[in-house]
């Protein structure tokens, strides 16, 4: 597999320094991507860089994931409007361990192969580097004029002219440049990859390597991912879509990809899966034939959810999805965890009922008319009893008690095919 050719057909190359493809063709090459450790989980915005590393390893090269423990404390001026909070070392190490576990689902860290992946943290080589030594050793090789000419700096200054840019942020590209030089010296790293907004920071590293070590290093960037409608990829009303199942349930994760627009589905299949060109072309043809079946979105959601959460979590997410369409089983509903249950029925009307009433046993008629006004009257309830389900089962008992509580808290009421209500025991 030719790494550059693979990225090209997937639409994952924005800019590439001359000589990069020749270097990759010549020998096993180490390349790195930087990851911000300000949280203890990756989110889907990180996946482009992670997939670049995955394809690199598939092509026989050696991926290095750099946790930006030092640079993450400062913040890249091109990315954020505000500076970041300083992390203490215990938090930093915790975040690093969590991120490595997630990366291990994409990259092989443990084999004896020469291209086994490696995780490094720039805090390890920056924490004891004094400010005086850094500006003496590194700062003198990069002029202010050179730094000011970088797009990341120019954009930040033009965007926040009233606030300006602190020296801390201004120094970011020097630190990132030094990272590249350090990995060049200590890990034989010849290539740095990242988003297209990182081009200036990456080339600062290649210039440092050339000036200070007389070496040659390379840069490759991926286009920033956008949605066809111009919206920001990966952002939802509830915030980031995380890879940690405690932060974003596998069901919500699966639904995010399943709800991809037709205009974006093929692009996302190329970027976020390892499916071949032929497989994606086949899915695109099926989509063109019958868009209502959504074959591209289903395969996209299946592939990424399996990669991140595993086949069991994918199956559970698909089962949960069926509940709303009347295909889900009673067993599925009863084994569903609270977060998934609330995700599936997000936006459904809710009613709070005193827990004591339910635990003591309450008549179905009183529960659904007086305590939870799902039916306007008991007469209306009697007339529509045939289409009523409690927790996906036809009503058999006229008294509801604590045994009906899902997750010891909820009762799902379904009136007809599509009208759902949730009763919450308070």
């Amino acid at each position: 597999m030719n790494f550059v050719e693979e990225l090209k057909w997937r639409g994952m190359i924005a800019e590439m320094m001359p000589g990069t493809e020749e270097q990759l063709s010549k020998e096993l090459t180490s390349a790195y991507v930087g990851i911000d450790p300000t949280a203890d989980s990756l989110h889907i915005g990180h996946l482009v860089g992670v997939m670049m590393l995955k394809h690199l390893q598939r092509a026989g090269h050696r991926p290095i994931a750099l946790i930006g423990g030092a640079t993450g404390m400062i913040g890249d001026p091109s990315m954020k409007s505000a500076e970041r909070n300083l992390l203490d070392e215990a938090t930093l190490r915790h975040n690093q361990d969590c991120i490595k576990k997630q990366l291990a689902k994409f990259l092989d860290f443990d084999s004896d192969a020469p291209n086994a992946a490696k995780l490094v943290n720039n805090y390890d080589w920056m924490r004891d580097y004094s400010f005086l030594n850094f500006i003496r050793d590194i700062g003198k090789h990069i002029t202010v004029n050179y730094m000011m000419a970088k797009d990341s700096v120019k954009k930040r200054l033009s965007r926040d002219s009233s606030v300006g840019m602190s020296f801390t942020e201004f120094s970011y590209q020097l630190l990132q440049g030094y990272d590249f030089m350090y990995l060049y010296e200590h890990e034989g790293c010849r290539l740095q990859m990242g988003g297209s907004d990182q081009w200036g920071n990456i080339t600062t590293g290649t210039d440092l390597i050339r000036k200070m070590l007389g070496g040659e290093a390379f840069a490759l960037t991926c286009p920033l991912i956008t949605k066809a409608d111009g919206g920001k990829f990966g952002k939802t009303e509830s915030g980031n879509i995380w890879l940690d199942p405690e932060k974003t349930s596998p069901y919500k994760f699966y639904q995010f990809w399943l709800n991809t627009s037709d205009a974006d589905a093929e692009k996302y299949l190329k970027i976020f899966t390892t499916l071949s060109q032929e497989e994606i072309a086949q899915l695109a043809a099926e989509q063109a034939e019958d868009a209502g079946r959504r074959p591209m979105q289903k395969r996209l959601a299946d592939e990424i959810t399996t990669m991140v959460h595993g086949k069991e979590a994918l199956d559970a997410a698909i089962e949960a999805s069926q509940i709303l369409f009347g295909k889900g089983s009673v067993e599925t509903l009863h084994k569903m965890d609270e977060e998934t249950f609330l995700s599936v029925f997000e936006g459904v009307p809710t009613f709070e009922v005193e827990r004591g009433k339910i635990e003591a046993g309450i008549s179905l008629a009183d529960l659904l008319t007086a305590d939870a006004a799902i039916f306007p009257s008991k007469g209306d309830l009697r007339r529509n009893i045939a289409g009523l389900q409690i927790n996906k089962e036809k009503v058999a008992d006229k008294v509801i008690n604590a045994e009906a509580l899902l997750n010891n808290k909820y009762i799902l009421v379904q009136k007809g095919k599509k009208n759902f209500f949730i009763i919450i025991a308070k």
Side-chain angles (χ1 to χ4, degrees):
M1 174 181 143
N2 180 299
F3 176 62
V4 171
E5 288 302 318
E6 185 77 6
L7 291 196
K8 277 180 181 174
W9 78 257
R10 291 183 182 276
M12 293 177 73
I13 295 182
E15 290 183 272
M16 183 171 65
M17 192 173 280
T20 303
E21 193 165 5
E22 290 77 4
Q23 167 63 34
L24 290 160
S25 302
K26 184 173 65 175
E27 60 188 355
L28 185 153
T29 300
S30 295
Y32 89 93
V33 166
I35 296 169
D36 175 12
T38 48
D40 60 1
S41 172
L42 300 172
H43 54 73
I44 60 173
H46 292 108
L47 282 181
V48 182
V50 173
M51 291 304 295
M52 290 172 88
L53 290 175
K54 185 174 180 67
H55 291 308
L56 183 87
Q57 191 168 43
R58 290 175 66 225
H61 299 291
R62 178 174 174 250
I64 299 173
L66 180 143
I67 299 294
T71 43
M73 292 176 174
I74 296 169
D76 181 352
S78 66
M79 298 296 288
K80 302 288 181 184
S81 58
E83 292 190 41
R84 300 176 190 179
N85 295 325
L86 189 71
L87 296 174
D88 61 67
E89 189 165 358
T91 303
L92 182 61
R93 295 303 177 192
H94 167 74
N95 292 357
Q96 176 181 318
D97 290 342
C98 294
I99 289 169
K100 184 173 183 182
K101 284 177 188 170
Q102 293 178 342
L103 289 173
K105 296 174 181 178
F106 297 84
L107 305 172
D108 172 15
F109 286 96
D110 300 322
S111 77
D112 296 327
N115 72 326
K118 183 163 186 177
L119 185 89
V120 296
N121 190 327
N122 62 12
Y123 184 69
D124 292 332
W125 57 81
M126 287 305 304
R127 63 181 169 188
D128 296 323
Y129 203 162
S130 77
F131 176 71
L132 287 175
N133 285 338
F134 185 80
I135 57 173
R136 183 194 65 193
D137 299 340
I138 309 302
K140 67 180 181 181
H141 292 281
I142 302 293
T143 67
V144 170
N145 302 41
Y146 175 92
M147 295 171 74
M148 291 288 288
K150 296 290 185 180
D151 281 345
S152 59
V153 174
K154 287 196 288 190
K155 283 178 184 173
R156 177 61 193 270
L157 287 174
S158 63
R159 187 174 67 229
D160 296 324
S161 55
S162 60
V163 179
M165 178 192 290
S166 71
F167 174 77
T168 309
E169 290 177 298
F170 185 59
S171 65
Y172 185 92
Q173 64 174 286
L174 275 183
L175 292 169
Q176 188 170 331
Y178 178 69
D179 285 343
F180 196 176
M181 190 175 83
Y182 182 93
L183 292 178
Y184 179 94
E185 281 190 284
H186 295 85
E187 296 291 340
C189 184
R190 295 290 183 272
L191 172 64
Q192 184 183 167
M193 304 184 294
S196 57
D197 59 315
Q198 291 291 308
W199 181 258
N201 294 334
I202 295 173
T203 52
T204 298
T206 62
D207 285 345
L208 269 178
I209 290 164
R210 178 176 50 80
K211 289 177 179 178
M212 295 187 67
L213 304 176
E216 188 177 28
F218 303 93
L220 188 156
T221 60
C222 180
L224 296 181
I225 307 305
T226 55
K227 295 201 301 188
D229 64 6
K232 190 169 183 181
F233 167 75
K235 288 291 184 183
T236 66
E237 287 180 14
S238 56
N240 285 321
I241 302 294
W242 299 93
L243 273 55
D244 182 343
E246 298 297 318
K247 295 179 187 292
T248 299
S249 70
Y251 169 80
K252 263 194 172 177
F253 187 87
Y254 173 79
Q255 286 292 322
F256 172 84
W257 299 104
L258 192 63
N259 291 322
T260 298
S261 70
D262 289 354
D264 288 321
E266 185 174 356
K267 178 170 77 170
Y268 290 177
L269 277 167
K270 290 177 180 178
I271 293 170
F272 299 112
T273 77
T274 57
L275 294 180
S276 69
Q277 201 164 359
E278 294 72 27
E279 287 173 301
I280 294 172
Q282 177 61 34
L283 287 165
E286 290 173 22
Q287 187 98 352
E289 197 173 296
D290 184 0
R293 286 179 50 239
R294 297 169 68 78
M296 289 200 294
Q297 286 91 339
K298 288 177 182 175
R299 188 64 184 276
L300 174 68
D302 286 4
E303 290 287 324
I304 304 182
T305 306
T306 302
M307 199 154 31
V308 172
H309 295 298
K311 183 68 166 62
E312 196 175 315
L314 169 68
D315 292 341
I318 292 173
E319 269 192 276
S321 301
Q322 300 302 318
I323 290 279
L324 284 173
F325 303 105
K327 299 173 186 173
S329 67
V330 175
E331 292 75 23
T332 300
L333 187 65
H334 280 271
K335 70 183 181 183
M336 203 181 288
D337 62 80
E338 183 176 11
E339 186 180 358
T340 302
F341 177 81
L342 293 175
S343 296
V344 170
F345 297 103
E346 191 172 3
V348 164
T350 60
F351 300 89
E352 293 183 358
V353 176
E354 287 179 32
R355 176 179 286 275
K357 284 187 178 182
I358 295 173
E359 289 176 344
I362 184 171
S363 75
L364 183 71
D366 285 341
L367 178 65
L368 300 187
T369 57
D371 290 88
I374 293 171
F375 291 89
S377 67
K378 291 180 181 179
D380 187 57
L381 169 60
R382 282 193 298 272
R383 285 190 294 275
N384 292 283
I385 195 80
L388 179 68
Q389 290 187 5
I390 300 293
N391 296 338
K392 297 300 289 183
E393 294 184 286
K394 291 286 185 183
V395 176
D397 297 320
K398 300 298 183 185
V399 175
I400 302 297
N401 58 32
E403 288 181 11
L405 293 175
L406 302 168
N407 287 292
N408 195 34
K409 191 174 182 181
Y410 306 103
I411 296 172
L412 178 67
V413 180
Q414 185 175 352
K415 187 168 75 167
K417 285 187 177 181
K418 296 182 180 178
N419 296 311
F420 291 93
F421 307 86
I422 292 173
I423 295 171
I424 305 171
K426 282 287 188 179

